[in-house]
Amino acid sequence: MADTPRFTFPAATAAIPGRDGGAREFSFLPADFERVRKLIYQHAGISLSPVKQDMVYSRLARRLRATGCHSFAEYLDALEKNGGDEWERFVNSLTTNLTSFFREPHHFPIFAEHLQKLGTQRQIRIWCSAASTGEEPYSIAITVAETFGSNLSHVSIIASDLDTNVLETARKGVYPMERVDKLSPERLHRFFLRGTGAQAGYVSVRPELKALITFQRINLLDSSYALKGPLDVIFCRNVMIYFDKPTQYKILARFAPMMQPDGLMFAGHSESFMHAADLFRSLGKTVYALTKSR
């Protein structure tokens, strides 16, 4: 008898909310958790902490329900044997996407000052490499518009993420009012449209701001990126914390040749790249420039 998968993952499934309570719904052994850690590292470079068992269970249990699996072992067997599109859903499930408009606000005046130095005489290219649901790239675009006014034809922003679900939200640029409640009234009026009727309680990013940004899926572990330099600015904030040091160095070594000699890279508040001092030097406040000796 031919060795065939016990089931085929459906093309599209709806996530089912996690269940509260005592005994777990699915068998989840330590060996299953270690297998998940290995697979997510191989496919996305994410180094899961050993204390993330509960997080992994709650997020992947939804995929087990959606695919009709009865145990993590069964799900992982099928994923490795006949995963197809389920690989993307597996990675999306384990990707954390915490973001907000103007998160880590100390970076944006530094970014604006750099834009002013670059001026308007040549093209400026900016890469937001962990776009999540769009708040960060739109914050970048707002800063660009506040710096240059309506003269924006020389600026382009590429916003990427590994997770296709959050990228779709980012492309739409529609957010509940509570997501923008910390923005000033001036910014809300200038850069957002308020929803009415069925869209009451929501805001949409204005089309002219959206026009600055191109959204695309990029896995930072890919051997090559669908993106070419030279880049003036890279925002790579709060994503390196999910990678181990060798993986971080590999990614940074790929970033460096893509940057302009005077380019800046912005990192997250808990990220340090001292182990890559041959590539990037710290300017303080988690801002980096290329090492001059390169």
Side-chain angles (χ1 to χ4, degrees), residues 2-292:
D3 185 15
T4 57
R6 293 182 61 186
F7 62 91
T8 301
F9 289 118
T13 54
I16 301 174
R19 300 180 183 178
D20 299 325
R24 279 177 166 166
E25 179 183 359
F26 302 106
S27 171
F28 184 53
L29 303 175
D32 298 326
F33 176 64
E34 291 304 318
R35 197 171 167 191
V36 170
R37 292 182 71 197
K38 178 182 177 182
L39 291 173
I40 194 64
Y41 184 82
Q42 289 175 341
H43 283 262
I46 295 173
S47 183
L48 279 178
S49 165
V51 302
K52 296 292 187 181
Q53 294 97 326
D54 289 341
M55 183 273 283
V56 166
Y57 179 88
S58 64
R59 294 189 179 189
L60 288 184
R62 303 172 189 180
R63 297 308 315 149
L64 269 68
R65 296 185 196 107
T67 55
C69 292
H70 298 94
S71 70
F72 273 75
E74 180 183 2
Y75 173 77
L76 295 171
D77 284 346
L79 182 68
E80 289 195 270
K81 192 169 188 179
N82 192 43
D85 291 342
E86 185 64 19
W87 278 115
E88 186 173 301
R89 300 187 186 99
F90 170 78
V91 172
N92 287 354
S93 295
L94 296 176
T95 304
T96 301
N97 294 288
L98 298 176
T99 188
S100 61
F101 284 96
F102 290 93
R103 185 182 183 187
E104 302 190 37
H106 62 280
H107 279 158
F108 290 93
I110 299 170
F111 173 51
E113 182 180 355
H114 187 60
L115 291 174
Q116 290 170 348
K117 290 179 181 176
L118 294 174
T120 61
Q121 299 306 305
R122 67 167 179 83
Q123 287 296 121
I124 297 174
R125 301 181 71 238
I126 302 158
W127 181 22
C128 174
S129 65
S132 188
T133 47
E135 288 90 333
E136 182 169 290
Y138 289 125
S139 298
I140 293 169
I142 287 171
T143 305
V144 168
E146 290 176 339
T147 302
F148 294 124
S150 59
N151 181 19
L152 303 177
S153 60
H154 67 298
V155 181
S156 61
I157 301 167
I158 303 97
S160 68
D161 204 280
L162 176 67
D163 188 332
T164 52
N165 293 330
V166 297
L167 278 177
E168 185 57 31
T169 299
R171 284 191 186 96
K172 292 176 181 176
V174 176
Y175 301 95
M177 280 298 300
E178 57 264 27
R179 298 297 292 168
V180 297
D181 60 4
K182 294 183 180 180
L183 295 180
S184 68
E186 292 77 16
R187 279 177 169 166
L188 280 174
H189 177 75
R190 181 176 175 186
F191 299 112
F192 295 86
L193 298 169
R194 290 181 181 269
T196 58
Q199 294 298 312
Y202 290 83
V203 295
S204 175
V205 177
R206 288 185 178 270
E208 54 269 32
L209 204 64
K210 290 183 183 180
L212 287 175
I213 306 173
T214 300
F215 291 97
Q216 62 188 87
R217 183 183 184 274
I218 294 178
N219 184 342
L220 295 180
L221 290 188
D222 286 346
S223 57
S224 62
Y225 300 149
L227 167 68
K228 304 299 180 185
L231 299 166
D232 294 281
V233 178
I234 295 178
F235 279 80
C236 188
R237 306 193 303 172
N238 305 302
V239 63
M240 290 291 200
I241 54 174
Y242 299 107
F243 303 137
D244 58 20
K245 294 297 184 184
T247 303
Q248 290 180 13
Y249 188 91
K250 179 181 177 182
I251 293 169
L252 292 170
R254 198 165 291 158
F255 282 0
M258 300 173 66
M259 297 190 69
Q260 293 277 13
D262 60 348
L264 294 182
M265 180 176 66
F266 294 89
H269 70 279
S270 60
E271 295 167 327
S272 173
F273 302 143
M274 296 301 292
H275 59 291
D278 59 318
L279 301 172
F280 288 94
R281 59 188 176 91
S282 173
L283 301 179
K285 298 184 178 180
T286 55
V287 182
Y288 290 82
L290 290 172
T291 299
K292 294 297 185 182

